[in-house]
Amino acid sequence: MTGVAVTDTNSDSVPHGLYEDVLALLTGTMFVALGLVLYTHAGLITGSSAGLALLIQYVTGYGFGAVFFVINLPFYYLAVKRMGWPFAIRTFAAVALISVLSRLTPDWIGIGLLNPLYAAIAGGGLMGMGLLVLFRHRAGLGGFNILALYLQDNYGIRAGYFQLAVDLTILVVSAFYIDLDKVALSVVGAAVLNLIIAINHRPGRYVGMS
């Protein structure tokens, strides 16, 4: 799951209220969790820590939610150091919600038929919209996104390049465990996800911040 959270700044922006942040966390994580359920059902992969958690699930059989939560734990120190406590707390809440919702959602809906191409496009779109909502309320999904920003700040390594390298590594490794056509569809889904963020998460297009 790609995308690096960057908060738009505007001197005339109106801060979000607490209830707005809570609703945004619930809405964004529900979108992401549903997208991940579609990916899991279709056997697809995504990038970043979510992609690594999916890959571990496919290889070991461990549930995505628990693996995703554990993978993100080492990155919260960097989240506090790079983004501050409010961002870290929101991100922890978002990761925890997705860990729970990704486990519960399959019990709430039944999927009898799912075209893999549709799963890639719709799943990527849902995750992109969910991430967009989280970014707008200064939250993220932790993991390699935070590490990418930390490396950029402290070692001059471009965050986008690092994130791309991580995602490509996950896709290459996944080729040994899932069919190549599923890997190709996963690339399509990643393109949809990032296109949504690239089009909508731009300075000047949104003035709300918390």
Side-chain angles (χ1 to χ4, degrees):
M1 187 178 300
T2 55
V4 176
V6 179
T7 304
D8 297 336
T9 57
N10 187 304
S11 59
D12 297 323
S13 61
V14 178
H16 290 126
L18 177 61
Y19 78 96
E20 292 174 317
D21 285 336
V22 171
L23 289 176
L25 283 175
L26 291 173
T27 302
T29 54
M30 285 182 68
F31 281 177
V32 173
L34 182 55
L36 287 168
V37 168
L38 293 181
Y39 265 45
T40 302
H41 194 83
L44 304 179
I45 200 77
T46 187
S48 199
S49 53
L52 181 58
L54 279 176
L55 183 58
I56 292 174
Q57 174 181 264
Y58 296 153
V59 175
T60 66
Y62 291 120
F64 168 86
V67 174
F68 181 62
F69 185 81
V70 171
I71 285 175
N72 278 285
L73 289 177
F75 297 103
Y76 290 117
Y77 169 76
L78 295 180
V80 173
K81 190 171 182 179
R82 172 59 175 76
M83 301 285 197
W85 277 104
F87 175 85
I89 292 172
R90 291 186 184 96
T91 296
F92 179 86
V95 169
L97 281 169
I98 288 175
S99 298
V100 173
L101 289 172
S102 63
R103 168 62 185 85
L104 295 177
T105 300
D107 295 333
W108 296 336
I109 62 174
I111 302 176
L113 174 66
L114 180 61
N115 181 283
L117 178 58
Y118 174 82
I121 295 173
L126 284 166
M127 287 188 283
M129 292 302 297
L131 281 170
L132 185 64
V133 171
L134 294 175
F135 289 173
R136 293 305 192 195
H137 289 259
R138 296 195 64 197
L141 292 182
F144 296 107
N145 291 346
I146 295 173
L147 180 58
L149 292 171
Y150 176 81
L151 292 175
Q152 178 172 278
D153 286 349
N154 292 274
Y155 299 100
I157 300 173
R158 293 288 295 275
Y161 292 155
F162 176 80
Q163 186 68 59
L164 178 61
V166 169
D167 293 345
L168 287 176
T169 300
I170 292 173
L171 286 172
V172 169
V173 173
S174 69
F176 292 96
Y177 299 98
I178 66 177
D179 296 336
L180 290 179
D181 61 329
K182 298 294 181 64
V183 176
L185 288 173
S186 299
V187 173
V188 173
V192 172
L193 186 159
N194 283 283
L195 186 61
I196 288 175
I197 294 175
I199 291 174
N200 294 283
H201 192 59
R202 295 169 59 184
R205 287 202 166 172
Y206 189 83
V207 297
M209 63 177 289
S210 53

